């Protein structure tokens, strides 16, 4: 700031021994130092002394180096972890160099103490912690209460459904009822009291949440919803409140919710013998009247109808509508002479899933488009699957009879059935439409296999429909010629199975008819498709579609997989893209019928029916009348006795 003219050379430096300035303007000789020391002692004696260097916990700052010959060490000083503020280790400490006077350049006899002190790092931030306390103790977290406290005031909404006074009134009423129920929980001596009890803040938050959700999701009926909720809370008992709390805990904390019990299939116990169960089947037989309009063929087409179908096929010149993409294409049975093609139109792009309308939630007010179950794409979008050719399906009875005539079961006289048959068929697409490619039959109610064969179709194969039929080209490659003694093991499935092969659908039909009479109950699901593919007309059918009807009636129906899951608590058809298993489907349909037999016998017992030694006895006179439409109107003993010879 200004040049020195010696005005301060006779004044003792206020810092004397602690001065760090290389060219200090004050006096630094020995006499001044001794005088300053004496003055300092006098001052301390009077209690007026200043703090010394030892009074400071932190080390002094670094002095600027004036030695030009100093070489920086290769490594920095290493700080000892034993105590805060300790000096550096010897190998990394700075080498001592003589202090030189800034004015003369000669070595200073009394250099500042900072020259001899090692360079210390800055003090640790946690130096203020008392000795004996670990760092882990300093990191101890505060009690966890992430949610801020809330007051009983409705939460803010951009468009509130009512004025603040109305919202506050409804919120207060809900909170009062919750507090009442919570007090009941506190007064109870149940072991679950601690888990179900709510704190003051939890009660407020729950009331706020219910009011906020109603205001946000249903603003048009906001007041009605909350009023109904208040009435429900007023009528709610302690047991009902505990159930509601358990549901809320399971929803908010799924990781601590009790695990769901394992899936246990329904046990069907009718309390009857096999013969008695078969004797009850006539009560479940479908009435033939009215079934023809839903695809069931109850009478064989006439020759005139078949001739008319022949003329129509000839006039169409093989043009059909694709059963998948609904486009028009031409079929060439026996292959087209020019190039050997079976169909025209190239590849088929389609959705293999059925269109379904998504289920609306209670809060949904908008329109939801129908989507395909295979890819969740809306109607009208391009297909998600590509096949090599287009395919078609024949549904008219006269045209089905043109390809293969229908045949009915043989009447063997009026006698009660001594057995029942469950059967299921798998179909594939050929140049003749949808044809039979596998036929399976099992006995009922034991489920023993009666028949399981692959079928060589009449037309050339276009698509085996393996995704649903479960029949693959390898099955035909691994098949063996049919023999009456050859059976496939019930557990043998998959690509390595070896099913017997019959040469035509007519041969497969004859094998099935060998187990049927006109009175033999034939059981299946959507059985009209299986009967039409085998060209069988049978008067005694039991269809699970009719036993478990859809509320909206035919042609809407439940699938077999859904019925088994709902009523038997079992899963079938879990092969995915590997397709269905006709043996599994046949047995599943039989179990559904057995469940219906159990329910039927339960209602019959309530009406007064009884069974003794295999004989059914009707209600006694004066008892409840038998059910309407019951086909068992005489004691079962009479029926069984006539069947004995």
């Amino acid at each position: 700031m200004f040049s020195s003219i010696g005005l301060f050379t006779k004044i003792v430096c206020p810092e004397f021994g602690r001065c760090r300035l290389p060219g200090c303007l004050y006096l630094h000789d020995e006499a001044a130092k001794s005088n300053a020391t004496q003055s300092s002692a006098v001052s301390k004696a009077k209690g007026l002394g200043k703090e010394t260097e030892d009074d400071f916990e932190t080390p002094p700052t670094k002095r600027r180096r004036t030695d030009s010959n100093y070489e920086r060490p290769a490594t920095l000083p290493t700080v000892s972890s034993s105590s805060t503020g300790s000096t550096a280790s010897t190998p990394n400490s700075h080498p001592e160099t003589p202090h030189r006077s800034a004015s003369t350049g000669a070595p200073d006899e009394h250099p500042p103490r900072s020259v001899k002190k090692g360079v210390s790092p800055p003090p640790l931030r946690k130096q203020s912690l008392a000795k004996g306390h670990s760092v882990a103790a300093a990191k101890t977290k505060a009690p966890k209460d992430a949610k801020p406290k809330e007051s009983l005031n409705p939460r803010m909404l951009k468009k509130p459904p009512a004025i603040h006074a109305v919202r506050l009134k409804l919120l207060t009423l809900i909170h009062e009822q919750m507090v009442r129920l919570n007090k009941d929980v506190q007064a109870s001596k149940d072991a679950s009291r601690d888990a179900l009890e709510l704190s003051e803040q939890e009660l407020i938050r729950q009331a706020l949440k219910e009011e906020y959700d109603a205001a946000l999701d249903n603003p048009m009926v906001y007041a009605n919803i909350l009023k109904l909720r208040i009435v429900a809370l007023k009528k709610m008992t302690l047991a009902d409140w505990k159930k509601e709390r358990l549901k809320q805990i399971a929803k908010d904390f799924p990781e601590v919710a009790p695990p769901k019990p394992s899936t246990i299939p329904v046990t069907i116990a009718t309390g009857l013998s096999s013969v008695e169960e078969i004797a009850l089947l006539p009560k479940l037989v479908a009435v033939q009247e009215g079934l023809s309009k839903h695809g069931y063929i109850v009478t064989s087409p006439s020759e005139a109808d078949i001739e008319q179908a022949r003329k129509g096929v000839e006039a169409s010149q093989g043009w059909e509508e694709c059963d998948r993409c609904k486009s028009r294409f031409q079929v060439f049975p026996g292959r087209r002479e020019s190039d050997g093609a079976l169909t025209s139109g190239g590849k088929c792009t389609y959705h293999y899933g059925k269109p379904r309308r998504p289920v609306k939630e209670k809060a949904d007010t908008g329109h939801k488009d129908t989507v395909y179950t295979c890819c969740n794409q809306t109607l009208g979008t391009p297909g998600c699957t590509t096949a090599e050719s287009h395919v078609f399906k024949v549904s008219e009875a006269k045209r089905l009879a043109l390809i293969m005539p229908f045949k009915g079961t043989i009447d063997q006289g009026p006698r009660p059935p001594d057995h029942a048959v469950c059967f299921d068929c798998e179909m594939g697409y050929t140049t003749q439409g949808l044809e039979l490619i596998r036929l399976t039959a099992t006995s009922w109610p034991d489920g023993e296999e009666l028949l399981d064969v692959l079928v060589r179709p009449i037309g050339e194969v276009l698509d085996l429909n393996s995704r649903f039929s479960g029949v693959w080209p390898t099955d035909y490659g691994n098949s063996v010629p049919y023999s009456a003694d050859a059976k496939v093991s019930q557990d043998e499935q998959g690509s390595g199975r070896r099913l017997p092969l019959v040469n035509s659908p007519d041969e497969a039909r004859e094998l099935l008819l060998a187990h049927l009479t006109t009175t033999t109950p034939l059981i299946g699901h959507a059985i009209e498709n299986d009967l039409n593919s085998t060209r069988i007309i049978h008067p005694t059918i039991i269809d699970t579609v009719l036993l478990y009807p859809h509320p909206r009636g035919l042609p809407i129906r439940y699938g077999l997989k859904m019925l088994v899951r709902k009523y038997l608590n079992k899963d079938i058809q879990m092969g995915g893209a590997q397709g269905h298993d006709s043996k599994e489907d046949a047995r599943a349909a039989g179990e559904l019928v057995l469940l219906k037999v159990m329910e039927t016998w339960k209602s019959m017992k309530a009406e007064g029916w009884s069974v003794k030694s295999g004989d059914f006895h009707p209600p006694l006179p004066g008892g409840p009348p038998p059910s309407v439409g019951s086909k068992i109107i005489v004691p079962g003993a009479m029926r069984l006795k006539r069947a004995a010879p």
Side-chain angles (χ1 to χ4, degrees):
M1 297 175 59
F2 54 87
S3 60
S4 174
I5 58 176
L7 298 179
F8 302 98
T9 55
K10 295 182 180 181
I11 301 175
V12 179
C13 180
E15 298 294 331
F16 50 92
R18 293 183 299 170
C19 181
R20 300 177 182 82
L21 296 177
C24 184
L25 302 178
Y26 292 93
L27 179 64
H28 284 276
D29 59 0
E30 184 68 21
K33 183 177 180 181
S34 61
N35 294 336
T37 304
Q38 294 175 1
S39 300
S40 176
V42 174
S43 299
K44 286 184 178 181
K46 296 180 180 181
L48 302 176
K50 296 182 180 180
E51 293 176 334
T52 62
E53 180 180 348
D54 296 335
D55 296 332
F56 290 91
E57 182 180 4
T58 59
T61 57
K62 239 177 135 177
R63 180 187 176 100
R64 186 177 66 181
R65 183 165 297 282
T66 58
D67 187 4
S68 60
N69 297 327
Y70 171 75
E71 294 183 1
R72 186 175 182 88
T75 58
L76 295 176
T78 303
V79 181
S80 174
S81 60
S82 60
S83 63
T84 305
S86 61
T87 59
S89 59
T90 303
N92 297 329
S93 61
H94 295 285
E96 296 185 2
T97 56
H99 182 261
R100 299 178 180 274
S101 174
S103 59
T104 62
D108 194 350
E109 297 179 358
H110 303 285
R113 291 181 58 185
S114 61
V115 176
K116 296 182 179 181
K117 290 185 65 175
V119 179
S120 301
L124 296 176
R125 292 185 179 181
K126 294 184 174 56
Q127 188 176 359
S128 59
L129 292 174
K131 293 183 179 181
H133 290 265
S134 63
V135 178
K139 294 183 179 180
T140 303
K141 295 183 180 179
K144 186 176 181 180
D145 190 9
K147 295 182 179 180
K149 291 186 177 181
E150 295 188 75
S151 61
L152 198 63
N153 193 39
R155 294 172 178 172
M156 295 292 294
L157 280 173
K158 187 176 182 180
K159 293 182 179 180
I163 61 175
H164 182 270
V166 175
R167 294 184 63 192
L168 181 60
K169 180 64 175 177
L170 295 173
L171 175 63
T172 304
L173 293 174
I174 291 176
H175 181 260
E176 289 177 356
Q177 297 303 319
M178 289 184 175
V179 170
R180 177 185 65 82
L181 293 168
N182 193 57
K183 289 181 179 179
D184 294 342
V185 173
Q186 294 173 351
S188 66
K189 298 181 180 180
D190 193 355
S192 61
R193 180 184 61 182
D194 295 338
L196 301 179
E197 183 181 350
L198 293 173
S199 65
E200 181 180 354
Q201 274 296 307
E202 288 174 335
L203 285 169
I204 293 176
R205 291 191 187 105
Q206 186 166 344
L208 289 173
K209 182 179 183 302
E210 289 198 14
E211 190 276 337
Y212 180 81
D213 292 343
L216 187 65
D217 298 336
N218 301 283
M220 301 300 295
V221 290
Y222 159 80
N224 292 341
I225 291 177
L226 291 188
K227 289 177 183 178
L228 292 174
R229 176 60 173 166
I230 293 169
V231 173
L233 288 173
K234 286 183 178 180
K235 297 180 179 179
M236 189 174 292
T237 62
L238 177 60
D240 295 335
W241 174 251
K242 287 182 177 181
K243 290 179 181 179
E244 185 172 310
R245 286 286 300 124
L246 289 174
K247 291 180 181 179
Q248 188 65 31
I249 292 173
K251 181 179 179 181
D252 295 341
F253 305 98
E255 65 277 3
V256 299
K260 295 183 179 180
S262 58
T263 302
I264 302 176
V266 174
T267 302
I268 305 175
T270 62
L272 302 173
S273 64
S274 299
V275 177
E276 294 166 349
E277 290 170 348
I278 294 172
L280 287 180
L281 286 182
K283 295 178 66 67
L284 308 180
V285 172
V287 180
Q288 298 286 306
E289 298 177 2
L291 292 180
S292 57
K293 61 181 180 180
H294 298 297
Y296 295 84
I297 300 176
V298 296
T299 58
S300 180
S302 62
E303 292 295 333
D305 292 337
I306 297 176
E307 183 62 28
Q308 183 182 4
R310 179 180 290 106
K311 293 180 180 179
V313 171
E314 293 175 355
S316 67
Q317 298 180 355
W319 285 95
E320 303 288 351
E321 181 183 24
C322 183
D323 191 36
R324 292 169 170 170
C325 66
K326 305 305 178 184
S327 62
R328 298 284 294 176
F329 71 103
Q330 195 173 12
V331 184
F332 307 106
R335 297 188 180 275
R336 186 165 55 186
E337 295 182 359
S338 59
D339 56 1
L342 293 173
T343 60
S344 64
K347 294 185 177 182
C348 176
T349 303
Y350 66 101
H351 294 279
Y352 64 84
K354 295 182 179 180
R356 291 285 186 272
R357 187 176 296 276
V359 179
K360 284 189 176 182
E361 302 293 339
K362 292 183 179 180
D364 292 341
T365 57
H367 173 73
K368 284 193 173 183
D369 294 330
T370 302
V371 298
Y372 291 100
T373 56
C374 52
C375 58
N376 290 328
Q377 296 295 324
T378 58
L379 290 178
T381 56
C384 60
T385 307
T386 302
E388 292 298 325
S389 65
H390 298 283
V391 295
F392 71 102
K393 176 183 177 181
V394 177
S395 301
E396 290 182 306
K398 57 185 178 181
R399 189 170 171 187
L400 289 172
L402 176 64
I403 301 171
M404 175 179 167
F406 282 85
K407 187 174 183 179
T409 50
I410 302 175
D411 190 359
Q412 298 182 5
R415 65 185 186 92
D418 54 0
H419 70 286
V421 176
C422 303
F423 95 117
D424 186 70
C425 299
E426 303 296 347
M427 283 77 77
Y429 292 102
T430 72
T431 54
Q432 299 294 335
L434 194 62
E435 287 196 67
L436 175 69
I437 57 176
R438 182 181 178 184
L439 189 149
T440 304
T442 61
S443 62
W444 188 91
D446 54 18
E448 292 293 330
E449 178 185 326
L450 299 176
L451 182 66
D452 190 10
V453 295
L454 287 176
V455 182
R456 192 186 306 277
I458 298 173
E460 294 86 352
V461 175
L462 298 177
D463 191 336
L464 289 175
N465 201 25
S466 302
R467 181 183 293 274
F468 299 101
S469 68
V471 178
W472 297 82
T474 54
D475 293 326
Y476 279 95
N478 296 331
S479 64
V480 295
Y482 172 77
S483 173
D485 299 331
K487 289 186 178 181
V488 181
S489 173
Q490 294 183 6
D491 299 329
E492 186 178 355
Q493 296 180 3
S495 58
R497 63 188 175 187
R498 297 176 63 84
L499 292 173
L501 174 67
V502 296
N503 293 323
S504 67
D506 182 68
E507 183 178 349
R509 178 176 61 183
E510 294 300 325
L511 294 175
L512 177 61
L513 290 176
H515 300 280
L516 300 178
T517 66
T518 54
T519 57
T520 303
L522 189 59
I523 301 170
H525 178 80
I527 200 171
E528 79 280 5
N529 297 318
D530 303 320
L531 292 173
N532 294 348
S533 65
T534 54
R535 308 297 196 274
I536 292 177
I537 297 177
H538 188 64
T540 312
I541 60 172
I542 301 177
D543 196 340
T544 53
V545 166
L546 304 176
L547 293 181
Y548 302 90
H550 193 277
R552 297 168 60 183
L554 294 173
I556 304 174
R557 59 187 68 186
Y558 289 121
L560 180 62
K561 182 176 181 179
M562 194 282 295
L563 290 177
V564 172
R565 180 60 187 168
K566 180 179 180 180
Y567 293 102
L568 301 179
N569 203 21
K570 293 171 58 177
D571 291 318
I572 63 169
Q573 301 176 356
M574 302 301 292
Q578 294 300 317
H580 302 172
D581 183 7
S582 56
K583 188 185 301 182
E584 179 186 48
D585 293 350
R587 288 171 174 163
E591 291 183 27
L592 288 171
V593 172
L594 185 61
L595 178 65
K596 188 63 68 171
V597 168
M598 181 180 71
E599 296 173 355
T600 302
W601 174 235
K602 183 178 180 181
S603 62
M604 288 176 62
K605 287 194 297 183
E607 294 173 355
W609 284 82
S610 61
V611 59
K612 293 181 181 179
S613 302
D615 300 336
F616 287 94
H617 299 274
L620 295 175
S627 57
V628 178
S630 174
K631 291 192 175 183
I632 301 182
I633 58 177
V634 295
M638 296 175 61
R639 298 167 57 86
L640 295 176
K641 285 180 180 179
R642 284 198 296 265

